[in-house]
Amino acid sequence: MTLSLDRVAPSEALRRTGVVSVLRADSPEYLLPAARTLVGEGLVCLELTMTTPGALDSLRLLRAEFGDSADVGLGSVRGAEAARRALEAGAAFLVSPVLDTAMVAECVAAGVPAYPAGTTPTELITAWDTGASAVKLFPAGTVGPGHLKAVREPLPELAIMPTGGIGVDDVGTWLQAGALAVGLGGSLSGDALRGGDLGALADRAARALAAARQETRP
């Protein structure tokens, strides 16, 4: 992947693990136990979301808990003001569900990885050309790995992170199709963010990481 002078590279942790754990919860109560379980299994890229109540406070809490041992970022970020607040709270990366150029600009200025979203080839390359560290293919489950592979054939410079509707057992297929990494939400978290089975969460995390390690990524 060739980086422009003002493009911030994805973190080493993201490139090494190939998985971002998207923690979207109705309340922040169970975020820390779930995050401890995921980090304990080696999934050290954690994405909280702005749609979770108290997201910025939870971000600060997890950053204090894990320090440099995990990348804790924030997703569902839209606009410059939200990006600045997330960065001030210590987000290690920012993700948007849309092609948000203002969010990318704030990240580039701060030297923090930015992952705006797109679906079509035009949206994906436009997001890349804003200076994105990688582009979130969203919602990935509606288009499938074949879409990713087809887009990257004429646009091999694109670093793409499919997210949305991806199952734990689909990780290898997406990485084989050319993904830099994948974002796993409900298929990974299951009921853990509602106080559910952390042992089952650990099992799913181990499966996802094992699948990622078997594939060579761009």
Side-chain angles (χ1 to χ4, degrees), residues 120-190:
T120 67
T122 298
E123 291 169 348
L124 292 167
I125 195 63
T126 301
W128 178 251
D129 287 344
T130 66
S133 304
V135 184
K136 172 181 171 179
L137 173 59
F138 180 79
T142 64
V143 293
H147 179 81
L148 168 62
K149 185 176 181 180
V151 168
R152 289 196 77 248
E153 285 177 353
L155 300 169
E157 69 272 26
L158 280 176
I160 299 178
M161 184 172 67
T163 305
I166 297 177
V168 170
D169 295 323
D170 299 328
V171 169
T173 302
W174 280 98
L175 295 176
Q176 191 174 35
L180 171 72
V182 300
L184 294 179
S187 68
L188 175 62
S189 59

Side-chain angles (χ1 to χ4, degrees), residues 54-112:
L56 294 179
D57 288 337
S58 295
L59 173 64
R60 295 183 185 97
L61 176 65
L62 266 62
R63 290 284 286 172
E65 171 81 11
F66 299 115
D68 294 333
S69 65
D71 280 356
V72 184
L74 197 63
S76 300
V77 178
R78 295 171 54 199
E81 182 179 353
R84 285 193 291 269
R85 287 190 285 119
L87 293 170
E88 288 168 359
F93 60 88
L94 296 185
V95 185
S96 180
V98 296
L99 200 174
D100 195 312
T101 58
M103 182 272 285
V104 175
E106 292 294 330
C107 286
V108 169
V112 170

